Amino acid sequence: MKRRVIIVLFDGCELLDFGGPGQALHEASLHGGEFETIYAAPQPSVLIEQGLRISDLPPLPEPRDSDWIIVPGYTPDGKHDHGKIVEWLRRAATTEALIASVCTGTFLLGQAGLIDGKQVTTHWKRVTELQARFPRAKVIGDRLFVRDGRIVSSAGIAAGIDMMLALIEEENGPAVASDVAREMVVYLRRDASHRQESVYLDYQTHLSPSLHRLQQWLIANPGSTESVAELAEMANMSTRHLSRLFRKATGIGIHDFRTRLRVERARVLVNDPSLTLEAIATACGFAGARQLRRQYR
């Protein structure tokens, strides 16, 4: 059965806040995911912040227990009346639906009373304001996204993609999430606990297509054990040329890059109570739990 995802649109909402997660869901459906994405609004036509009018929108459906609900950000200045959305979110909260906000969409969740006692985040410029307006919330700054039970909130704009990739991975597994990330050229999702910097992004600002392909392969296969010589063969280069080019383009060596990828993957897997440390070490390409502990520290 397909997972129904309701993306809530309204006057003044931000384009990328709903476009990014929507694109991720679309790509996931093309790579084995099972999603029914519905763009709905309190009225048939909305004018988003970037000046684009979207018409022929269906009304907000009655929430179900299995729904995912995505609320994009906006400028929380009281310019628009979002009372109908707030009322609908309150109804949604009486079900088992997962309710996620992108950027300042957290303010709408706050108006609906959904973040009292919850850990949440928002755009870094609005963290202090969010805490002041909703003092019973536990606002966390400098995080890409935060999950507290059925409430998920993400930081500014593009972090909504990271949040959606995490949800896709939870629903369909890491292979589908990795396929979506590569298709969208966002490399791989950053974990909720990560700050803005990321090993998946920091070392790919160069313009070498061959190195990008190799890095994508390493990201998708953190447990691989191929030697540098074998990686060089994959990249159609000599071992010496690959090592020199990789360090020049990224600032670190191939071994260091691969180790950081493995540690990042381990950081995610340690949250799975069904996996032993030895199993995590094997999945991430380490010789054993002892080596994993050393590298993790």
Side-chain angles (χ1 to χ4, degrees):
M1 183 177 177
K2 289 186 176 181
R3 170 80 67 179
R4 189 173 74 165
V5 184
I6 303 168
I7 298 181
V8 182
L9 301 185
F10 48 88
D11 287 334
C13 67
E14 298 282 352
L15 176 61
L16 188 56
D17 284 7
F18 66 83
Q23 184 70 35
L25 288 164
H26 173 73
E27 297 297 341
S29 296
L30 299 178
H31 289 86
E34 294 286 333
F35 296 102
E36 176 193 4
T37 305
I38 299 173
Y39 296 87
Q43 66 272 359
S45 175
V46 300
L47 181 65
I48 67 172
E49 182 67 20
Q50 286 68 33
L52 175 67
R53 181 167 291 281
I54 303 177
S55 302
D56 298 324
L57 291 166
L60 293 167
E62 195 61 28
R64 302 173 185 167
D65 287 344
S66 59
D67 285 343
W68 287 357
I69 295 168
I70 312 299
V71 183
Y74 66 109
T75 302
D77 55 7
K79 180 180 177 181
H80 301 287
D81 180 9
H82 298 127
K84 292 182 178 179
I85 294 174
V86 170
E87 181 183 343
W88 184 81
L89 287 173
R90 286 172 179 158
R91 290 208 311 276
T94 64
T95 71
E96 294 298 315
L98 181 144
I99 303 175
S101 63
V102 181
C103 196
T104 50
T106 314
F107 282 79
L108 285 177
L109 271 58
Q111 290 180 47
L114 308 187
I115 64 174
D116 289 351
K118 297 286 188 180
Q119 291 188 349
V120 293
T121 192
T122 188
H123 192 286
W124 63 270
K125 285 185 177 180
R126 300 279 185 170
V127 166
T128 302
E129 180 185 354
L130 183 68
Q131 186 66 82
R133 289 183 58 177
F134 305 102
R136 294 170 66 184
K138 302 174 183 178
V139 181
I140 301 175
D142 197 20
R143 287 294 181 270
L144 292 168
F145 57 93
V146 176
R147 180 165 186 172
D148 192 335
R150 293 185 291 108
I151 300 297
V152 190
S153 54
S154 68
I157 310 174
I161 298 175
D162 297 287
M163 178 184 71
M164 185 52 63
L165 286 172
L167 293 175
I168 290 170
E169 179 171 333
E170 182 180 307
E171 182 81 356
N172 299 120
V176 172
S178 181
D179 286 342
V180 173
R182 287 200 301 274
E183 193 69 29
M184 295 180 67
V185 200
V186 293
Y187 308 116
L188 196 68
R189 76 173 178 86
R190 293 167 284 176
D191 185 68
S193 62
H194 291 181
R195 296 176 181 269
Q196 297 298 329
E197 65 274 7
S198 167
V199 65
Y200 301 124
L201 304 176
D202 291 346
Y203 303 104
Q204 301 204 50
T205 57
H206 57 81
L207 300 177
S208 172
S210 56
L211 289 187
H212 275 305
R213 286 193 293 270
L214 179 60
Q215 286 176 299
Q216 287 301 301
W217 189 87
L218 289 171
I219 288 171
N221 299 276
S224 65
T225 57
E226 281 75 6
S227 65
V228 175
E230 290 172 316
L231 295 176
E233 186 176 348
M234 291 169 55
N236 295 316
M237 301 180 191
S238 69
T239 302
R240 183 179 178 183
H241 180 57
L242 173 60
S243 297
R244 185 171 61 248
L245 181 62
F246 196 97
R247 184 172 291 278
K248 181 180 179 181
T250 67
I252 62 173
I254 295 175
H255 176 74
D256 288 341
F257 179 72
R258 171 182 264 174
T259 299
R260 294 182 191 208
L261 290 176
R262 288 171 172 172
V263 171
E264 289 298 298
R265 185 59 186 156
R267 186 187 308 230
V268 175
L269 294 181
V270 294
N271 294 316
D272 188 338
S274 68
L275 295 176
T276 65
L277 199 59
E278 197 68 39
I280 293 171
T282 301
C284 296
F286 291 110
R290 184 177 179 181
Q291 185 188 28
L292 170 57
R293 289 191 190 96
R294 185 170 64 251
Q295 294 292 351
Y296 202 85
R297 285 196 296 267

